[in-house]
Amino acid sequence: MFIDCLTIFPEFFVSPLQEGIVRRALLDGKIEIGVHNIREYATDRHSMTDDRPFGGGEGMVMKPEPLSRCLHAARKEGADSRVILLSPVGEQFDQKMAERLASHEQLILVCGRYEGVDERFRQQYVDEEISIGDYVLTGGELAALVVLDAVIRLLPGVLGCGESATNDSFSCGLLKHRQYTRPRVFENMAVPEVLLSGDHAAVARHRLVESVVLTLQRRPDLLAGMRFTPAERKTLRQAGVLDQVDTAIRTLAQEKSHEG
Ligand code: ADE
């Protein structure tokens, strides 16, 4: 996959791309990342990438021409490219979106700054606008790094054995269970006995219950439309949480039908 970031602060991308799994994916040739300085595509004497908003108001707006020239330079001809604008008014980023984006040949991440980008650039070139959460950052660079990181780890062969993405939080609709490692006892707290038993089915049941309980406590909204197999329901009943799960799912369905 090609990932190209359009920014006026290319230095933002230097160290995050030199660490851990992203670095390994780059070295292995699983991804190619281009960081493009929008300023290099400004043609006026002062290399201006922003200007005052028409109609007045605070702040500055990113000019469309340097952005479009930079985009043309970054786009791989003939590739299935997706142009994404990072902005606080975008659709909220989540794991499903990361999975969808991972299927494209090229992602072009446009990092907005100031009060935003000129609307005509957005209309003409942007396929989707993404926000990473309900807060305002100083610009889209950190958001682009979040998207890039979440997508890269889903690409085939990027995670090694034992680092699989299939049991991630969100990928199966639940939050991931808690984890333990050596020592068996830490500050008087022992690892749950079942995890030492070697009984893989019992471990899986224990983890399912842990996941469900954590999701009920932290993110009950994730349970909307969730379906458990008869075996899973039996495990949840034995753990005493099935009624709570069914009530949560029913309540969410009722809320949804009232909204609709
Ligand atoms: N730029 C500023 N705030 C942002 C956010 N929350 N998500 C994406 N881009 C942004």
Side-chain angles (χ1 to χ4, degrees):
M1 170 183 260
F2 300 103
I3 303 180
D4 291 88
C5 306
L6 278 47
T7 173
I8 58 163
F9 292 125
E11 295 291 312
F12 250 104
F13 293 85
V14 176
S15 109
L17 303 183
Q18 285 176 359
E19 304 291 344
I21 288 167
V22 173
R23 174 189 158 87
R24 194 175 66 199
L26 276 165
L27 291 175
D28 290 349
K30 298 276 186 329
I31 47 168
E32 276 184 37
I33 301 183
V35 178
H36 308 263
N37 189 346
I38 300 165
R39 204 172 290 287
E40 289 173 9
Y41 297 86
T43 50
D44 66 297
R45 267 192 319 134
H46 302 292
S47 299
M48 268 178 54
T49 54
D50 61 324
D51 208 336
R52 284 168 300 161
F54 279 125
E58 282 168 18
M60 301 289 267
V61 177
M62 291 183 82
K63 290 164 69 61
E65 312 98 304
L67 277 171
S68 69
R69 281 193 287 267
C70 187
L71 177 63
H72 283 120
R75 203 194 280 275
K76 303 266 182 254
E77 273 323 307
D80 156 37
S81 305
R82 192 91 183 142
V83 179
I84 294 158
L85 173 64
L86 286 312
S87 115
V89 304
E91 192 182 337
Q92 181 138 351
F93 188 59
D94 63 13
Q95 190 66 20
K96 278 218 168 59
M97 228 186 246
E99 282 161 17
R100 176 168 58 73
L101 295 180
S103 68
H104 291 278
E105 265 175 274
Q106 183 183 26
L107 297 183
I108 302 180
L109 303 173
V110 182
C111 305
R113 279 264 148 189
Y114 314 113
E115 296 304 305
V117 306
D118 188 286
E119 172 59 11
R120 292 160 298 177
F121 171 80
R122 192 193 65 81
Q123 273 183 24
Q124 184 72 357
Y125 293 109
V126 172
D127 296 314
E128 60 188 294
E129 203 169 357
I130 292 180
S131 162
I132 59 160
D134 288 345
Y135 39 80
V136 181
L137 303 166
T138 55
E141 284 76 7
L142 286 173
L145 283 164
V146 166
V147 170
L148 174 157
D149 192 279
V151 169
I152 288 173
R153 63 188 290 288
L154 295 174
L155 298 175
V158 164
L159 293 186
C161 327
E163 294 175 330
S164 155
T166 47
N167 283 327
D168 284 342
S169 282
F170 310 111
S171 65
C172 67
L174 296 171
L175 297 182
K176 188 173 174 169
H177 58 82
R178 306 294 196 181
Q179 296 277 32
Y180 300 84
T181 184
R182 268 180 278 271
R184 287 180 175 216
V185 179
F186 168 69
E187 295 188 356
N188 264 332
M189 291 175 285
V191 171
E193 204 57 43
V194 60
L195 301 181
L196 311 173
S197 67
D199 179 344
H200 298 302
V203 169
R205 286 194 297 273
H206 173 82
R207 287 181 166 165
L208 171 68
V209 173
E210 286 256 300
S211 278
V212 166
V213 169
L214 193 59
T215 308
L216 273 169
Q217 287 168 347
R218 295 277 168 91
R219 292 291 307 276
D221 57 294
L222 294 178
L223 292 167
M226 192 89 196
R227 286 186 177 262
F228 292 99
T229 64
E232 288 169 336
R233 289 180 63 79
K234 183 175 169 202
T235 301
L236 297 176
R237 187 177 302 110
Q238 283 169 349
V241 294
L242 185 63
D243 288 347
Q244 246 179 301
V245 170
D246 284 341
T247 306
I249 294 175
R250 222 177 307 116
T251 310
L252 288 161
Q254 279 164 1
E255 280 170 9
K256 194 161 176 223
S257 77
H258 286 146
E259 278 167 22

